[in-house]
Amino acid sequence: MPLSPTIYTGTFIHTPTLSSLQVLENHAAGVDEEGVIRFICELEGVTEKVEGLGWRMEHCRVVQGGGDGNGGSWWFPGFVDTHIHASQYPNAGIFGKTTLLDWLHTYTFPLESSLSSLPLARRVYSRCVSRTLSHGTTTASYFATLHVESTNLLASICLQKGQRAFIGRVCMDSDLSPEYVRDESPEQAIANTEATITHINTIDPQHCLITPILTPRFAPSCTSPLLHHLGHLASSTNLPIQTHISENPSEISLVRSLFPTHNSYAHVYDAHSLLTPRTILAHAIHLSPSERALIKQRQSSVSHCPVSNTSLSSGLCPVRELLDQGIRVGLGTDVSGGYSPSILTAAREAGMVSRTVAALTPDHENQNHSHNHNHNHNQNQNQNQNQNQNQNQSQGSQSAQRNEKVDSNPSPSPRYSTTLKDRAKLSVEECLYLATRGGAACLNLEKSIGAFEVGMEWDAQLIQLSTIPALPSSSPASSSPVAPRENHGSSSGGEGADGGRNVEGEEEEGMGENEDEIVEMEMERGMGDEGLVELWGKETWSEKVAKWLFCGDDRNTRRVYVRGRLVFERR
């Protein structure tokens, strides 16, 4: 059913390039009946934009996203999860002390086998999709199982719930896998994969939301004939491909023994025509320089899964090196190797892992600093050119550009340090870029989702953070740097927009006398319902976003939209 033209107002924040944070305060985004952004402008320019499109204001829905002065809420692009096993969702948080190959046999294969039961599959997949939506994931690339009917069910559930999804029936026919989770033959694996493709083409012929994705589990689980068949299928259908690569040293040794005529793990995929511009390679921790060069040459992408990599003791992925070499990188939760279905958690851990990489890096001058700096600068410059081209296609795009605020260097330190140690660290902007536009690029959707630009689809989440009441002006402590109290999501007293409590009037006067009682009362009345992030009034936009990245969770995600449709709302 077509939507009504909708005008979203408030503050809009996104990462148009790898190293910049763009903040548009007191702006509006006009989204048409198909869920496509038609304009972005300052609030006072909305009427002109609406009339220019032939819309009528009285026929437009208006959705307010804060921006009333509190600074505690904003619109942010929906997250993109480039690697998640929906079939493993019940096992999230269970991995013990196992490493990859032990974990597969101990936990994963038995669970995946049980999803041949459609009632169980429905329960697992429904909860998985709903949970990821509640965490702001508007797009996900899912591994299902080898079972056709339950894989098709996952596709139907994603369509029903409105999540953009890539659905992969898992292919695996080698002796590595137990018989109960093994395809009978390469031919049977291809036939079953084609059955899932047919189902998706039937329920979503244009792949507006649901796209089939070819899914060899990983090289050790597939015979060479099956990999060849999948390569041919990829060539004939131009479908995307997802698999794993170089996650674990033992896995790499196993690949070497199973494919002795190939000189690397990446070469195995390339020799079977599976290394393409539409290929997503999960993990990629232990790639050799020649493998990185090959992946770059084939324009394939990497899904960085920092939570899983740590949970299974797989290793530390040198993401900076991948980025410097021009390889596209997105983020994956990799449930259930990863314990959380949240891409915000994955982004946070990407930053933490990069700091561990930095701690293990020798602290000396980076001789290639100038080259790397120029590479990233040129890459970002090209992205900016594409951005401007998209904006110039819209009416009044110059207004949006004129009023933008780009915080490309929020910290006092230089953006590009001269040491290898510091350059290994990922910034807040970079982590959030990988979570949105970087992931979209891995899925070849960078022109459609991942940012707020004219012509892109409205995949967005409304973020809301808690603000701390200021001490009353009569208090001896009123000279503290904490700013005066601002309403949180509401311009009136009493309950906030999401049920949070505004402290005003007589209660506020008591804060200076008995702060402990006030805090205790707030806890009893639901303090914490808005998550762990607390704003104290003096934070810059960069600091607010950093607090959200490092302290936020799904409680800060108030609404989620996919192609302009509301798919989740926290009440």
Side-chain angles (χ1 to χ4, degrees):
M1 179 181 299
L3 303 167
S4 299
T6 304
I7 300 169
Y8 298 89
T9 67
T11 297
F12 300 78
I13 300 178
H14 69 153
T15 51
T17 68
L18 182 63
S19 60
S20 66
L21 187 73
Q22 184 181 60
V23 180
L24 300 173
E25 296 180 85
N26 299 315
H27 270 61
V31 178
D32 67 16
E33 299 89 339
E34 300 300 322
V36 176
I37 300 173
R38 298 296 301 276
F39 67 80
I40 299 174
C41 68
E42 292 185 86
L43 289 177
E44 55 265 32
V46 169
T47 300
E48 179 183 352
K49 294 290 185 182
V50 167
E51 293 175 351
L53 291 170
W55 298 351
R56 298 178 60 179
M57 283 296 300
E58 61 267 27
H59 294 162
C60 294
R61 294 173 58 246
V62 178
V63 179
Q64 296 180 348
D68 56 0
N70 69 23
S73 63
W74 63 83
W75 297 104
F76 195 78
F79 289 137
V80 180
D81 191 340
T82 57
H83 185 70
I84 176 171
H85 295 260
S87 54
Q88 298 173 20
Y89 178 69
N91 275 357
I94 302 175
F95 43 82
K97 291 186 177 180
T98 58
T99 54
L100 175 63
L101 299 180
D102 293 334
W103 171 79
L104 285 171
H105 288 273
T106 303
Y107 300 108
T108 302
F109 291 154
L111 174 59
E112 292 190 4
S113 175
S114 70
L115 295 189
S116 60
S117 165
L118 287 180
L120 178 58
R122 181 178 295 278
R123 168 173 281 194
V124 170
Y125 290 151
S126 292
R127 296 188 72 84
C128 178
V129 174
S130 293
R131 179 67 68 181
T132 55
L133 283 171
S134 75
H135 282 270
T137 298
T138 52
T139 300
S141 188
Y142 286 116
F143 279 59
T145 66
L146 56 77
H147 310 105
V148 174
E149 290 186 347
S150 61
T151 299
N152 293 351
L153 179 61
L154 173 59
S156 298
I157 288 171
C158 289
L159 184 63
Q160 175 191 358
K161 292 182 179 290
Q163 187 177 55
R164 189 187 310 275
F166 292 74
I167 305 295
R169 177 204 168 270
V170 177
C171 297
M172 42 198 297
D173 71 331
S174 76
D175 294 340
L176 173 71
S177 309
E179 288 188 10
Y180 61 85
V181 286
R182 189 192 308 168
D183 286 308
E184 296 178 3
S185 66
E187 292 76 18
Q188 186 63 49
I190 295 301
N192 288 344
T193 297
E194 290 176 334
T196 290
I197 294 172
T198 298
H199 172 76
I200 294 174
N201 289 344
T202 300
I203 64 173
D204 190 0
Q206 301 302 317
H207 299 168
C208 295
L209 282 182
I210 313 301
T211 303
I213 184 168
L214 303 181
T215 308
R217 185 179 208 107
F218 64 155
S221 68
C222 299
T223 63
S224 184
L226 175 55
L227 294 176
H228 275 301
H229 280 307
L230 287 168
H232 291 314
L233 187 59
S235 298
S236 63
T237 61
N238 196 34
L239 286 175
I241 302 163
Q242 62 180 355
T243 189
H244 302 76
I245 192 171
S246 298
E247 180 177 358
N248 176 284
S250 297
E251 167 208 12
I252 297 171
S253 297
L254 180 60
V255 171
R256 190 177 298 117
S257 67
L258 293 173
F259 299 90
T261 62
H262 299 280
N263 57 30
S264 71
Y265 202 153
H267 185 256
V268 172
Y269 291 133
D270 190 51
H272 292 90
S273 302
L274 291 170
L275 214 55
T276 76
R278 304 202 70 188
T279 297
I280 304 171
L281 301 164
H283 304 289
I285 303 170
H286 307 286
L287 295 174
S288 66
S290 62
E291 286 181 297
R292 291 178 191 166
L294 179 59
I295 291 169
K296 164 64 175 175
Q297 182 181 4
R298 297 291 185 260
Q299 301 179 52
S300 299
S301 303
V302 166
S303 175
H304 176 40
C305 306
V307 179
S308 173
N309 295 346
T310 301
S311 298
L312 298 181
S313 306
S314 298
L316 304 171
C317 183
V319 174
R320 175 67 67 202
E321 295 180 18
L322 298 176
L323 293 172
D324 282 347
Q325 291 176 24
I327 295 174
R328 292 176 296 178
V329 180
L331 295 180
T333 58
D334 194 26
V335 168
S336 67
Y339 55 77
S340 171
S342 166
I343 281 291
L344 186 64
T345 298
R348 176 185 308 138
E349 291 306 307
M352 292 295 98
V353 167
S354 74
R355 282 156 175 75
T356 302
V357 172
L360 299 174
T361 300
D363 192 5
H364 58 78
E365 291 299 308
N366 181 0
Q367 299 300 321
N368 295 321
H369 162 64
S370 297
H371 168 74
N372 290 337
H373 177 96
N374 290 335
H375 169 78
N376 281 291
H377 175 75
N378 292 335
Q379 183 182 44
N380 292 339
Q381 189 176 51
N382 290 336
Q383 290 169 335
N384 279 326
Q385 290 173 352
N386 291 335
Q387 176 188 9
N388 292 336
Q389 290 173 0
N390 289 334
Q391 289 179 329
N392 287 334
Q393 292 174 359
S394 66
Q395 296 182 6
S397 61
Q398 294 179 352
S399 174
Q401 294 176 20
R402 186 169 57 249
N403 292 290
E404 71 184 19
K405 179 193 297 182
V406 179
D407 189 352
S408 60
N409 186 13
S411 59
S413 60
R415 167 58 53 201
Y416 297 105
S417 172
T418 58
T419 67
L420 287 170
K421 181 182 286 292
D422 283 347
R423 273 197 42 77
K425 301 174 186 177
L426 296 177
S427 67
V428 168
E429 305 95 307
E430 289 169 325
C431 291
L432 291 174
Y433 179 91
L434 299 184
T436 53
R437 198 160 200 170
C442 291
L443 295 167
N444 290 278
L445 292 175
E446 66 273 23
K447 294 182 180 179
S448 300
I449 61 172
F452 294 135
E453 294 177 3
V454 172
M456 286 188 165
E457 297 181 7
W458 181 252
D459 282 19
Q461 51 185 319
L462 178 62
I463 305 303
Q464 191 162 356
L465 307 183
S466 176
T467 55
I468 298 303
L471 295 173
S473 57
S474 59
S475 168
S478 61
S479 59
S480 89
V482 179
R485 168 69 174 177
E486 296 170 331
N487 289 336
H488 182 60
S490 174
S491 59
S492 60
E495 295 292 315
D498 58 354
R501 180 170 166 273
N502 293 333
V503 181
E504 296 182 349
E506 294 180 359
E507 291 181 350
E508 186 176 84
E509 292 177 3
M511 290 189 66
E513 300 173 4
N514 198 337
E515 178 74 8
D516 289 342
E517 289 185 6
I518 295 296
V519 172
E520 184 176 349
M521 184 166 54
E522 284 189 337
M523 292 292 289
E524 292 175 354
R525 295 187 182 184
M527 180 179 177
D529 289 346
E530 297 169 342
L532 301 177
V533 186
E534 295 179 341
L535 299 181
W536 291 81
K538 287 294 186 180
E539 294 91 347
T540 65
W541 276 114
S542 294
E543 291 167 342
K544 293 174 187 177
V545 173
K547 280 193 166 187
W548 173 54
L549 172 64
F550 290 112
C551 304
D553 56 35
D554 59 315
R555 289 171 291 183
N556 303 123
T557 305
R558 311 308 299 183
R559 297 177 190 164
V560 180
Y561 295 81
V562 177
R563 298 191 76 216
R565 295 185 182 277
L566 180 66
V567 294
F568 172 79
E569 183 172 16
R570 192 171 303 280
R571 300 183 182 277

